[in-house]
Amino acid sequence: MPMNENVFSSWAAWRRRTASRLVHAGSRWVRRVGAVTRDRPGPYRFGSIGVGTRLAFPQGTVFGEPWIHLGDHCVIGEQVTLTAGMLPGLDLGPDPVLRLGNGVVLGRGSHVIASRTVEFGDDVYCGPYVYVTSDNHSYDDPEQPIGHQWPRSEPVSIGSGSWLGSGAVILPGARLGRNVVVAAGAIVRGEVPDHTVVAGAPARIIRRWAPDEGWQPPLRTPAPKPVPAGMTAEQLRAVAELAPDDEPPRPEQVPGPRVADG
């Protein structure tokens, strides 16, 4: 009897492992096939979608895509919502309403809601669950439900090279300069100058770059040491084994695979 139990137990364990592998393989296949790219736009007809841009599957809510223009090499995570206009099916005129520059990254679960112009510069990186909107509810009439009142709308712009931390909220009328850091959970409105760090709700400037003085207040930790250009995977592994205070070696200092002379 114990032998039979072991046989049945082994058979059940094998079935569970096999089913798990099949489920995960099928999930990877669905995500790969369901991703939206320039060559495989799926059901969407964006105003433009650049080379190398990819919207991960499953996508969030997407509508008004003729007025959505996506630059080259953008990475848009799972469940990201991109909308142009208040409702699907509206004619929004000849110009783009939502525009992403080249190299924009939108983290999983982020929302970009645009009934007025919303523009991302190049190389804007957003963590997960970032919310960017040109529209905000109004509550002027105390007798009407807030959701029934016409929203206030203003354009939004996010400068090139900026970084929006997880859960950041960018409100209507916000104008972020270049290389702005928005801390996780910050709520941003109004104008934010170039090369500043903002945090809080509402967000305020907590650090800025001064050409003559550097970052003020000074950064608490030294800048990370960049990996030298041209290093191979083997050399990068060797760098990872260095002590924290060691200088990264130049590529010619790290042994790599030898290439036979021709």
Side-chain angles (χ1 to χ4, degrees):
M1 190 65 182
M3 183 180 298
N4 290 338
E5 287 180 357
N6 289 338
V7 169
F8 288 130
S9 176
S10 299
W11 170 245
W14 178 86
R15 285 192 303 173
R16 287 193 295 269
R17 289 195 300 270
T18 301
S20 177
R21 293 192 187 101
L22 290 174
V23 166
H24 284 282
S27 176
R28 288 192 296 270
W29 181 85
V30 168
R31 290 198 299 270
R32 184 172 64 252
V33 173
V36 169
T37 66
R38 182 176 183 174
D39 297 328
R40 300 196 310 273
Y44 306 114
R45 296 296 177 264
F46 290 102
S48 65
I49 180 168
V51 174
T53 289
R54 181 184 181 92
L55 287 76
F57 182 86
Q59 292 85 37
T61 301
V62 178
F63 64 75
E65 59 267 30
W67 292 273
I68 299 175
H69 289 231
L70 309 176
D72 297 337
H73 305 292
C74 295
V75 177
I76 299 173
E78 296 179 10
Q79 299 289 358
V80 169
T81 289
L82 300 172
T83 66
M86 293 286 189
L87 298 167
L90 299 179
D91 185 348
L92 304 178
D95 300 321
V97 174
L98 170 55
R99 184 192 296 274
L100 304 188
N102 299 327
V104 171
V105 176
L106 293 176
R108 177 189 178 96
S110 293
H111 286 59
V112 184
I113 312 296
S115 68
R116 297 284 298 276
T117 303
V118 173
E119 294 187 345
F120 287 67
D122 295 336
D123 301 310
V124 174
Y125 280 44
C126 301
Y129 306 107
V130 167
Y131 192 90
V132 180
T133 181
S134 66
D135 307 292
N136 205 352
H137 290 291
S138 59
Y139 48 89
D140 302 73
D141 187 344
E143 303 300 326
Q144 289 291 325
I146 292 171
H148 293 180
Q149 300 184 45
W150 196 254
R152 286 183 168 85
S153 301
E154 294 183 69
V156 172
S157 63
I158 300 171
S160 295
S162 294
W163 169 32
L164 280 57
S166 175
V169 177
I170 311 299
L171 293 175
R175 298 176 303 281
L176 279 64
R178 293 178 58 86
N179 284 40
V180 167
V181 176
V182 178
I187 300 178
V188 182
R189 61 185 181 185
E191 188 161 354
V192 180
D194 296 348
H195 308 293
T196 54
V197 181
V198 297
R204 61 183 182 85
I205 295 174
I206 61 170
R207 181 172 278 122
R208 66 172 73 227
W209 172 263
D212 298 332
E213 300 175 322
W215 285 105
Q216 298 299 321
L219 299 174
R220 292 191 295 269
T221 57
K225 298 171 182 177
V227 175
M231 297 194 74
T232 65
E234 292 80 3
Q235 291 168 337
L236 287 174
R237 282 193 287 270
V239 170
E241 297 174 358
L242 292 174
D245 295 331
D246 289 342
E247 284 289 337
R250 294 188 298 275
E252 63 271 16
Q253 295 177 314
V254 181
R258 296 183 177 274
V259 179
D261 295 333

